Each structure stands twice: as structure tokens, then as C-alpha cells.
Amino acid sequence: MLEVGTKAPEFLLPDQNGELHTLSEYAGKKVILYFYPKDNTSGCTKQACGFSELYPQFTEKGAVVIGISKDSVASHKKFEEKYNLGFTLLADPELQAIQAYDVWKEKKNYGKVSMGVVRTTYLIDEQGIIIKAFGKVKAAENPAQMLEEL
């Protein structure tokens, strides 16, 4: 996980509509950047729906929410449509941002070891500096937790 106080790494990734986004385009806004393992899994769905539900409150506080996983643009589009998500999902199948933000880790699941995304949320200030970092977040509680942090 990246340290609080460090400059958040730049990225260039496509969203659920295939449009490219960079971190620097959000300069002047707070960014809640959350990394999650997989579209349409129970924890990830709870987290995404929570962020979507609270999205108007995030925007009132001058913040944007961006979710990143290694799923494809098409997978993100289905996920967005299925749950009517109101924020940006970025596709990172090459692990560009996932590795830059140090969330690609060894995971153990039922004794099986594999590499995967560890659920992590960063709060980035208007100048692109990480001001909060949360590792191994609880999916269902994370959206409300982040709203409180603002």
C-alpha cells in the first residue's frame, strides 16, 4: 500500500464506456480511488452499490469516486448497467494502476495461494496527494467510512 503524503501515481485507463481517463483530469477535486477484486461478486457489488447510493453526497463534498479492477471494459459496462452505478469504473487488465498503487498481492483462499487485488481505498486531495489509505477494507462499510473521512 502506498504511504499517506505521497503523490498519487498517474494512470491512463479506459472507463466502462471505453473513454480514457487520467488522474490529473480530476485536479481540484478530492478523489476516492478504490481497488476491488472482481465485478459482480458479492463484496464488490455491495461496495459499488454503496458508493453509487451515496454518490450525490460525495459530489456535494467536491469528491469523485473511481473504482478500478482488472476486469474488462465490457465487464464493467455490464456491472454498471446491472446495478445502475452512477460513477466511473476503470478497466486495468494490464495491472498498470493496480501495481502502481501496490494493491496486487499474494492472497490465500481456502489454502490456495494466488495473486490478486487486495481491496484498498485511497483518498487523494485536490493536488493529487494521498491523504488517507485503507487496506483490506470491509466492502459493505467502505462507502459510508469514506463519506465520513470527507
Side-chain angles (χ1 to χ4, degrees):
M1 196 161 67
L2 299 179
E3 294 293 310
V4 169
T6 58
K7 183 103 174 109
E10 185 57 86
F11 54 74
L12 177 66
L13 296 171
D15 68 12
Q16 65 267 39
N17 301 309
E19 293 170 30
L20 291 174
H21 292 269
T22 62
L23 180 62
S24 51
E25 79 187 57
Y26 298 102
K29 292 185 172 189
K30 281 195 169 75
V31 176
I32 293 160
L33 188 64
Y34 83 96
F35 292 86
Y36 65 99
K38 193 158 178 46
D39 291 342
N40 289 303
T41 55
S42 68
C44 297
T45 299
K46 280 184 191 130
Q47 191 176 21
C49 289
F51 274 123
S52 193
E53 211 173 278
L54 296 174
Y55 198 70
Q57 290 163 269
F58 285 114
T59 54
E60 272 171 31
K61 293 179 183 272
V64 295
V65 175
I66 301 170
I68 297 180
S69 82
K70 67 183 189 69
D71 292 306
S72 67
V73 168
S75 173
H76 280 349
K77 189 67 187 165
K78 284 183 197 146
F79 190 42
E80 174 204 35
E81 287 173 347
K82 185 174 181 180
Y83 295 102
N84 197 21
L85 303 176
F87 60 92
T88 303
L89 296 173
L90 299 179
D92 190 10
E94 320 282 278
L95 310 178
Q96 176 207 338
I98 289 168
Q99 288 180 331
Y101 282 84
D102 197 29
V103 297
W104 186 249
K105 302 281 186 198
E106 199 173 84
K107 296 165 86 174
K108 285 189 177 86
N109 196 10
Y110 302 111
K112 193 178 135 231
V113 177
S114 62
M115 293 300 287
V117 172
V118 175
R119 194 182 305 278
T120 307
T121 305
Y122 290 102
L123 178 57
I124 301 166
D125 75 7
E126 295 84 349
Q127 288 78 43
I129 305 296
I130 295 169
I131 53 174
K132 298 273 182 176
F134 301 92
K136 296 183 181 163
V137 297
K138 291 189 172 33
E141 297 164 15
N142 189 230
Q145 172 195 20
M146 294 313 293
L147 192 59
E148 251 174 59
E149 291 294 335
L150 288 174

